[in-house]
Amino acid sequence: MDGLGREQIFAATPVSPGIAIGRAWPFRRSVERNSAPEDRTVPPEAVDGEIARFRQARSDTREELTRLQQQLREQLNSGEAEIFDAHLLIVDDHTLVNEVENCIRNERKSADFAFHKVITNYISVLSAMPDEYLRERALDIRDVAARIKAHLRHEEADHLDHLSDRRIIVATDLAPSETALLDRDKVLGFAIESGSATSHTAILARSMELPALTGIPPGLLDGLSADDTLIIDGFTGKLILNPEPRTADTYRLKAEEAGRFYSNLRRESMLMPETADGFLVQLAGNLDTDSGLKELTQAGACGVGLFRTEYLFLNRRTSPTEEEPFEIYKKMLSATEGRPIVVRTLDAGGDKIVSHFDRTPEQNPFLGLRGIRLCLRERPDLLRTQLRALLRAGVFGNLKVMLPMVSCMAEVTEVRFLIAELQKELKREKKEFVSRLSVGAMIETPAAALQTDRLAEVVDFFSLGTNDLVQYTMAIDRSNERVAYLYQPSHPAILELIARTVRAARRHNIWVSVCGQMAADPVYTPLLVGLGVHELSMEANAIGAVRRVVRGLYLHEAEAAARAALNAGSAEEALAISRALLRKVAPQVAKLVAADRD
Ligand code: PEP
Ligand code: MG
């Protein structure tokens, strides 16, 4: 692949929307940041010196991270700087520090080698985890490890801050801390091989509004030169190497349109998300931590439709106490000024493995003790703690609880009994609590969807977890790439289950939300509105486009599309129906997000 070669198009994963066009900056690290130091044994009299050197390197790293965190806070003015809190925790992790110091002391290894040995072990354990969240945390550890190693070597960490002109970075990976420090005047976007939409690097790219792709072909970087021109399309995932002038012009136009479009969308954040004929569809936000609340408010979210609590349990050796979530919910409630927050109880199991749990291995974890099953059968202690925190924090605002992976009514009634028992307990303890906590069920198994008429008798709301509903209905593992072609949210079977859930909710006068990824993809908005859901819950940056689509629709048109899609012979046919309506009511959105999906 020579510079200025012919046009080539590659498919990657879009993780941050936007278009970038410009020259490439192939980022090949001079020293592999985590390269192995020499296995060096030191004389006994040097042991104390090595330990002191390790402590100094940690202290320098701590100082550096705190400085970076401060810088990021000033630049972004958002909660993303909290990412460095996790990094700081790693620097001061007692077990890690003890293991390294023991290795220096007992095996008389150099500080560099002892640290490398211990940290490599940590990284390889985490990297092998089936849970994507945990694998991504291995990237954080790698990032911190590289800094400590650089300080041990008295080197400056590899930085990306000497770009002379505006470029698109192409690299094997980018650490979150490297991403945070990218100069937004110089960096147009980036394309990397590793990571996913849930990595901290991707989260940062979205906050910094930098178009970004992950999963680019592994060989691409090798042949790339600084003379090559690139286009990255963070909407569709396309990477175009050395585009023909005509292609570049098309994308320049698309970039201009996207820029105008997004700034218009931001101006629309105060508009009501209702159809042209006045049917209100609430738009709420999904959060993994409490740090994204500000972005949600700016995007005009009506509240938090899904707060995933798994993050509270990851990266730690013990489960949180009651006080920790209590304080978080209290803080969130005061920031949302009366808007509702729906907290989901721990959804561990499946691919979400909490490392400090002592679990019996399962052959089919997605069909195993996951979500509410795990809490009820194996960890009622954790369920009690979570519910007590919710009951107490509920006093400070509009807090609701929702249960993941429900498949029987008994699971809900058991939780309701527990809530009643905990209320008595809190009363005895003279603690403040809410006497009425709204309880919802996630509808993400076909069993739950088919039983919504009965379930509606025992819950206050439904929230359709379409990520899992698709997985369990289509009988495909949602993380298995070989069956990804069957991951079809528009399959008439899925639409039927959604329609059924909405009918049951309406019959029983309770509300129904969709909080899976389907809610964030404007291509499905016409169908979901037509099926009659009350609320769509998604990431902050997806809200603008979905609001635009909702406002362009007439309810009767959306309903007709939904009816036709329910009767379609395939997911493709149903999707085409939705896309056709999308093109009619929100052509700009369609152009950006759906143009390449025919
Ligand atoms: C879902 O299944 O759609 C959902 C929102 O939950 P999660 O992706 O966390 O399983
Ligand atoms: Mg789910």
Side-chain angles (χ1 to χ4, degrees), residues 384-426:
R384 292 178 82 90
T385 315
Q386 295 174 72
L387 292 172
R388 277 179 58 106
L390 285 160
L391 283 165
R392 289 176 51 212
V395 173
F396 299 93
N398 193 350
L399 201 58
K400 302 170 197 287
V401 63
M402 122 172 132
L403 315 177
M405 195 59 190
V406 167
S407 52
C408 315
M409 270 174 85
E411 288 158 344
V412 180
T413 45
E414 231 180 291
V415 172
R416 285 221 180 262
F417 277 127
L418 185 56
I419 289 176
E421 192 184 308
L422 293 171
Q423 285 170 322
K424 283 187 204 136
E425 196 175 277
L426 287 164

Short mmCIF file of all heavy atoms in Angstrom, two decimals, residues 384-426:
data_model
loop_
_atom_site.label_atom_id
_atom_site.label_comp_id
_atom_site.label_asym_id
_atom_site.label_seq_id
_atom_site.Cartn_x
_atom_site.Cartn_y
_atom_site.Cartn_z
N ARG A 384 -30.72 -7.56 48.82
CA ARG A 384 -31.18 -6.79 49.99
C ARG A 384 -30.44 -5.45 50.06
O ARG A 384 -31.06 -4.40 50.22
CB ARG A 384 -30.88 -7.55 51.29
CG ARG A 384 -31.70 -8.82 51.47
CD ARG A 384 -31.29 -9.51 52.77
NE ARG A 384 -31.97 -8.90 53.91
CZ ARG A 384 -33.14 -9.32 54.35
NH1 ARG A 384 -33.76 -10.32 53.77
NH2 ARG A 384 -33.71 -8.73 55.38
N THR A 385 -29.11 -5.52 49.90
CA THR A 385 -28.32 -4.29 49.98
C THR A 385 -28.76 -3.30 48.90
O THR A 385 -28.93 -2.11 49.16
CB THR A 385 -26.82 -4.62 49.77
OG1 THR A 385 -26.52 -5.74 50.54
CG2 THR A 385 -25.94 -3.48 50.12
N GLN A 386 -28.94 -3.81 47.68
CA GLN A 386 -29.32 -2.92 46.58
C GLN A 386 -30.68 -2.29 46.83
O GLN A 386 -30.89 -1.10 46.62
CB GLN A 386 -29.39 -3.70 45.26
CG GLN A 386 -28.06 -4.26 44.79
CD GLN A 386 -28.27 -5.14 43.56
OE1 GLN A 386 -28.55 -4.65 42.48
NE2 GLN A 386 -28.16 -6.44 43.72
N LEU A 387 -31.63 -3.12 47.28
CA LEU A 387 -32.98 -2.61 47.48
C LEU A 387 -33.05 -1.64 48.66
O LEU A 387 -33.76 -0.63 48.61
CB LEU A 387 -33.97 -3.76 47.69
CG LEU A 387 -34.20 -4.65 46.46
CD1 LEU A 387 -35.02 -5.89 46.81
CD2 LEU A 387 -34.89 -3.86 45.34
N ARG A 388 -32.28 -1.93 49.71
CA ARG A 388 -32.26 -0.99 50.85
C ARG A 388 -31.73 0.36 50.41
O ARG A 388 -32.27 1.41 50.76
CB ARG A 388 -31.39 -1.57 51.99
CG ARG A 388 -32.13 -2.56 52.89
CD ARG A 388 -31.20 -3.09 53.97
NE ARG A 388 -30.65 -2.01 54.78
CZ ARG A 388 -31.01 -1.74 56.04
NH1 ARG A 388 -31.95 -2.46 56.61
NH2 ARG A 388 -30.44 -0.75 56.70
N ALA A 389 -30.65 0.33 49.60
CA ALA A 389 -30.09 1.60 49.11
C ALA A 389 -31.13 2.36 48.29
O ALA A 389 -31.29 3.57 48.42
CB ALA A 389 -28.84 1.33 48.27
N LEU A 390 -31.88 1.63 47.47
CA LEU A 390 -32.89 2.27 46.62
C LEU A 390 -34.04 2.82 47.45
O LEU A 390 -34.53 3.94 47.21
CB LEU A 390 -33.42 1.26 45.60
CG LEU A 390 -32.47 0.96 44.43
CD1 LEU A 390 -32.83 -0.35 43.76
CD2 LEU A 390 -32.53 2.10 43.43
N LEU A 391 -34.50 2.02 48.42
CA LEU A 391 -35.62 2.48 49.26
C LEU A 391 -35.23 3.75 50.01
O LEU A 391 -36.03 4.68 50.14
CB LEU A 391 -36.00 1.38 50.26
CG LEU A 391 -36.82 0.22 49.69
CD1 LEU A 391 -36.83 -0.97 50.63
CD2 LEU A 391 -38.26 0.69 49.41
N ARG A 392 -33.98 3.79 50.47
CA ARG A 392 -33.55 4.98 51.24
C ARG A 392 -33.33 6.18 50.32
O ARG A 392 -33.74 7.29 50.62
CB ARG A 392 -32.28 4.64 52.02
CG ARG A 392 -32.54 3.69 53.19
CD ARG A 392 -31.26 3.32 53.87
NE ARG A 392 -30.48 4.50 54.21
CZ ARG A 392 -29.12 4.50 54.23
NH1 ARG A 392 -28.46 3.40 53.93
NH2 ARG A 392 -28.48 5.61 54.53
N ALA A 393 -32.69 5.94 49.18
CA ALA A 393 -32.38 7.06 48.28
C ALA A 393 -33.66 7.60 47.63
O ALA A 393 -33.72 8.78 47.26
CB ALA A 393 -31.38 6.63 47.23
N GLY A 394 -34.68 6.75 47.52
CA GLY A 394 -35.93 7.15 46.88
C GLY A 394 -36.57 8.37 47.52
O GLY A 394 -37.34 9.11 46.89
N VAL A 395 -36.24 8.60 48.78
CA VAL A 395 -36.77 9.75 49.51
C VAL A 395 -36.35 11.06 48.83
O VAL A 395 -37.03 12.08 48.94
CB VAL A 395 -36.21 9.71 50.97
CG1 VAL A 395 -36.56 10.95 51.74
CG2 VAL A 395 -36.70 8.46 51.67
N PHE A 396 -35.23 11.02 48.12
CA PHE A 396 -34.68 12.25 47.55
C PHE A 396 -35.14 12.54 46.12
O PHE A 396 -34.65 13.45 45.48
CB PHE A 396 -33.14 12.20 47.59
CG PHE A 396 -32.63 12.08 48.98
CD1 PHE A 396 -32.35 10.83 49.53
CD2 PHE A 396 -32.46 13.21 49.76
CE1 PHE A 396 -31.90 10.72 50.83
CE2 PHE A 396 -32.02 13.10 51.06
CZ PHE A 396 -31.74 11.85 51.60
N GLY A 397 -36.06 11.76 45.59
CA GLY A 397 -36.53 12.05 44.23
C GLY A 397 -37.31 10.90 43.64
O GLY A 397 -37.83 10.05 44.36
N ASN A 398 -37.33 10.89 42.32
CA ASN A 398 -38.16 9.93 41.60
C ASN A 398 -37.33 8.73 41.17
O ASN A 398 -36.83 8.66 40.05
CB ASN A 398 -38.76 10.66 40.39
CG ASN A 398 -39.87 9.88 39.74
OD1 ASN A 398 -40.09 8.72 40.07
ND2 ASN A 398 -40.55 10.51 38.81
N LEU A 399 -37.18 7.77 42.07
CA LEU A 399 -36.33 6.61 41.81
C LEU A 399 -37.21 5.38 41.58
O LEU A 399 -38.18 5.17 42.30
CB LEU A 399 -35.43 6.40 43.04
CG LEU A 399 -34.15 5.59 42.87
CD1 LEU A 399 -33.25 6.18 41.82
CD2 LEU A 399 -33.41 5.53 44.20
N LYS A 400 -36.86 4.59 40.57
CA LYS A 400 -37.61 3.36 40.31
C LYS A 400 -36.61 2.22 40.20
O LYS A 400 -35.43 2.45 39.90
CB LYS A 400 -38.37 3.46 38.98
CG LYS A 400 -39.34 4.64 38.90
CD LYS A 400 -39.83 4.78 37.46
CE LYS A 400 -40.47 6.13 37.21
NZ LYS A 400 -41.77 6.33 37.80
N VAL A 401 -37.09 1.00 40.41
CA VAL A 401 -36.19 -0.14 40.28
C VAL A 401 -36.71 -1.05 39.18
O VAL A 401 -37.93 -1.16 38.96
CB VAL A 401 -36.04 -0.89 41.63
CG1 VAL A 401 -37.35 -1.48 42.10
CG2 VAL A 401 -35.00 -2.00 41.52
N MET A 402 -35.78 -1.69 38.47
CA MET A 402 -36.23 -2.62 37.45
C MET A 402 -35.38 -3.89 37.50
O MET A 402 -34.20 -3.85 37.85
CB MET A 402 -36.21 -1.89 36.11
CG MET A 402 -35.42 -2.40 35.01
SD MET A 402 -35.91 -1.37 33.61
CE MET A 402 -34.29 -0.96 33.01
N LEU A 403 -36.04 -5.00 37.20
CA LEU A 403 -35.40 -6.31 37.38
C LEU A 403 -35.00 -6.90 36.03
O LEU A 403 -35.84 -6.97 35.12
CB LEU A 403 -36.36 -7.26 38.11
CG LEU A 403 -37.08 -6.66 39.31
CD1 LEU A 403 -38.06 -7.66 39.91
CD2 LEU A 403 -36.06 -6.22 40.37
N PRO A 404 -33.75 -7.31 35.90
CA PRO A 404 -33.29 -7.85 34.63
C PRO A 404 -33.57 -9.34 34.49
O PRO A 404 -33.58 -10.07 35.49
CB PRO A 404 -31.77 -7.62 34.69
CG PRO A 404 -31.44 -7.65 36.14
CD PRO A 404 -32.67 -7.21 36.90
N MET A 405 -33.80 -9.79 33.26
CA MET A 405 -33.86 -11.22 32.94
C MET A 405 -35.04 -11.93 33.60
O MET A 405 -34.96 -13.09 33.98
CB MET A 405 -32.52 -11.81 33.43
CG MET A 405 -32.10 -13.15 32.97
SD MET A 405 -31.93 -13.32 31.22
CE MET A 405 -31.72 -15.08 31.16
N VAL A 406 -36.14 -11.21 33.74
CA VAL A 406 -37.33 -11.83 34.35
C VAL A 406 -37.89 -12.87 33.39
O VAL A 406 -37.98 -12.64 32.18
CB VAL A 406 -38.39 -10.73 34.63
CG1 VAL A 406 -39.74 -11.34 34.96
CG2 VAL A 406 -37.92 -9.82 35.74
N SER A 407 -38.24 -14.05 33.91
CA SER A 407 -38.92 -15.01 33.04
C SER A 407 -40.20 -15.58 33.69
O SER A 407 -40.96 -16.30 33.05
CB SER A 407 -37.98 -16.15 32.61
OG SER A 407 -37.36 -16.71 33.73
N CYS A 408 -40.40 -15.29 34.99
CA CYS A 408 -41.63 -15.77 35.67
C CYS A 408 -42.17 -14.65 36.56
O CYS A 408 -41.41 -13.85 37.09
CB CYS A 408 -41.34 -16.92 36.62
SG CYS A 408 -40.28 -18.18 36.00
N MET A 409 -43.48 -14.71 36.79
CA MET A 409 -44.08 -13.73 37.70
C MET A 409 -43.52 -13.85 39.11
O MET A 409 -43.38 -12.87 39.84
CB MET A 409 -45.59 -13.98 37.79
CG MET A 409 -46.39 -13.23 36.78
SD MET A 409 -48.09 -13.75 36.90
CE MET A 409 -48.69 -12.71 38.22
N ALA A 410 -43.23 -15.12 39.50
CA ALA A 410 -42.78 -15.36 40.88
C ALA A 410 -41.52 -14.56 41.20
O ALA A 410 -41.32 -14.13 42.34
CB ALA A 410 -42.52 -16.85 41.08
N GLU A 411 -40.69 -14.33 40.19
CA GLU A 411 -39.46 -13.57 40.45
C GLU A 411 -39.81 -12.15 40.90
O GLU A 411 -39.18 -11.59 41.80
CB GLU A 411 -38.59 -13.53 39.19
CG GLU A 411 -37.94 -14.87 38.90
CD GLU A 411 -37.52 -15.05 37.43
OE1 GLU A 411 -37.99 -14.29 36.57
OE2 GLU A 411 -36.74 -15.97 37.16
N VAL A 412 -40.83 -11.59 40.28
CA VAL A 412 -41.23 -10.22 40.65
C VAL A 412 -41.89 -10.22 42.02
O VAL A 412 -41.58 -9.39 42.87
CB VAL A 412 -42.19 -9.62 39.59
CG1 VAL A 412 -42.59 -8.21 39.97
CG2 VAL A 412 -41.56 -9.66 38.21
N THR A 413 -42.77 -11.19 42.23
CA THR A 413 -43.49 -11.16 43.52
C THR A 413 -42.51 -11.41 44.68
O THR A 413 -42.65 -10.81 45.74
CB THR A 413 -44.64 -12.19 43.56
OG1 THR A 413 -44.17 -13.42 43.02
CG2 THR A 413 -45.83 -11.73 42.75
N GLU A 414 -41.53 -12.25 44.44
CA GLU A 414 -40.53 -12.48 45.49
C GLU A 414 -39.81 -11.17 45.84
O GLU A 414 -39.59 -10.88 47.02
CB GLU A 414 -39.50 -13.50 44.97
CG GLU A 414 -39.28 -14.65 45.95
CD GLU A 414 -38.25 -15.64 45.42
OE1 GLU A 414 -38.56 -16.34 44.42
OE2 GLU A 414 -37.16 -15.69 45.97
N VAL A 415 -39.47 -10.41 44.82
CA VAL A 415 -38.79 -9.13 45.08
C VAL A 415 -39.73 -8.18 45.81
O VAL A 415 -39.33 -7.49 46.74
CB VAL A 415 -38.27 -8.50 43.76
CG1 VAL A 415 -37.73 -7.09 44.00
CG2 VAL A 415 -37.19 -9.36 43.14
N ARG A 416 -40.99 -8.21 45.43
CA ARG A 416 -41.96 -7.33 46.12
C ARG A 416 -42.07 -7.69 47.60
O ARG A 416 -42.13 -6.81 48.46
CB ARG A 416 -43.32 -7.43 45.44
CG ARG A 416 -43.40 -6.69 44.11
CD ARG A 416 -44.74 -5.98 44.05
NE ARG A 416 -44.95 -5.24 42.83
CZ ARG A 416 -44.75 -3.92 42.73
NH1 ARG A 416 -44.34 -3.22 43.76
NH2 ARG A 416 -45.00 -3.30 41.60
N PHE A 417 -42.08 -9.00 47.91
CA PHE A 417 -42.11 -9.43 49.32
C PHE A 417 -40.89 -8.92 50.06
O PHE A 417 -40.96 -8.42 51.17
CB PHE A 417 -42.15 -10.97 49.42
CG PHE A 417 -43.55 -11.52 49.27
CD1 PHE A 417 -43.83 -12.51 48.34
CD2 PHE A 417 -44.59 -11.06 50.09
CE1 PHE A 417 -45.11 -13.02 48.20
CE2 PHE A 417 -45.88 -11.57 49.95
CZ PHE A 417 -46.14 -12.55 49.00
N LEU A 418 -39.76 -9.06 49.38
CA LEU A 418 -38.51 -8.63 49.99
C LEU A 418 -38.54 -7.13 50.27
O LEU A 418 -38.11 -6.68 51.34
CB LEU A 418 -37.34 -9.00 49.06
CG LEU A 418 -35.94 -8.73 49.59
CD1 LEU A 418 -35.71 -9.44 50.91
CD2 LEU A 418 -34.90 -9.19 48.58
N ILE A 419 -39.08 -6.38 49.31
CA ILE A 419 -39.16 -4.92 49.51
C ILE A 419 -40.01 -4.61 50.75
O ILE A 419 -39.63 -3.80 51.61
CB ILE A 419 -39.73 -4.22 48.25
CG1 ILE A 419 -38.70 -4.28 47.12
CG2 ILE A 419 -40.13 -2.77 48.53
CD1 ILE A 419 -39.16 -3.73 45.78
N ALA A 420 -41.15 -5.32 50.87
CA ALA A 420 -42.02 -5.08 52.03
C ALA A 420 -41.28 -5.41 53.33
O ALA A 420 -41.37 -4.67 54.33
CB ALA A 420 -43.28 -5.92 51.89
N GLU A 421 -40.53 -6.49 53.31
CA GLU A 421 -39.78 -6.90 54.50
C GLU A 421 -38.71 -5.85 54.84
O GLU A 421 -38.54 -5.48 56.00
CB GLU A 421 -39.13 -8.25 54.16
CG GLU A 421 -38.54 -8.99 55.31
CD GLU A 421 -37.85 -10.25 54.79
OE1 GLU A 421 -38.50 -11.03 54.04
OE2 GLU A 421 -36.66 -10.45 55.12
N LEU A 422 -38.04 -5.37 53.80
CA LEU A 422 -36.97 -4.39 54.04
C LEU A 422 -37.53 -3.07 54.54
O LEU A 422 -36.89 -2.37 55.32
CB LEU A 422 -36.17 -4.16 52.75
CG LEU A 422 -35.36 -5.38 52.29
CD1 LEU A 422 -34.76 -5.14 50.91
CD2 LEU A 422 -34.25 -5.70 53.29
N GLN A 423 -38.74 -2.74 54.09
CA GLN A 423 -39.36 -1.51 54.58
C GLN A 423 -39.62 -1.61 56.09
O GLN A 423 -39.38 -0.67 56.83
CB GLN A 423 -40.66 -1.22 53.82
CG GLN A 423 -40.37 -0.69 52.41
CD GLN A 423 -41.60 -0.63 51.53
OE1 GLN A 423 -42.45 -1.51 51.61
NE2 GLN A 423 -41.68 0.38 50.68
N LYS A 424 -40.05 -2.83 56.52
CA LYS A 424 -40.28 -3.01 57.97
C LYS A 424 -38.96 -2.89 58.73
O LYS A 424 -38.87 -2.26 59.79
CB LYS A 424 -40.89 -4.40 58.23
CG LYS A 424 -42.36 -4.46 57.89
CD LYS A 424 -42.95 -5.79 58.31
CE LYS A 424 -44.19 -6.08 57.49
NZ LYS A 424 -44.30 -7.44 57.02
N GLU A 425 -37.94 -3.49 58.13
CA GLU A 425 -36.61 -3.46 58.74
C GLU A 425 -36.12 -2.00 58.90
O GLU A 425 -35.65 -1.61 59.96
CB GLU A 425 -35.67 -4.23 57.82
CG GLU A 425 -34.35 -4.65 58.41
CD GLU A 425 -33.60 -5.53 57.39
OE1 GLU A 425 -33.88 -6.73 57.34
OE2 GLU A 425 -32.76 -4.99 56.65
N LEU A 426 -36.29 -1.23 57.80
CA LEU A 426 -35.82 0.17 57.84
C LEU A 426 -36.63 0.98 58.85
O LEU A 426 -36.09 1.87 59.52
CB LEU A 426 -35.92 0.80 56.44
CG LEU A 426 -34.87 0.31 55.44
CD1 LEU A 426 -35.27 0.67 54.01
CD2 LEU A 426 -33.49 0.89 55.76
#
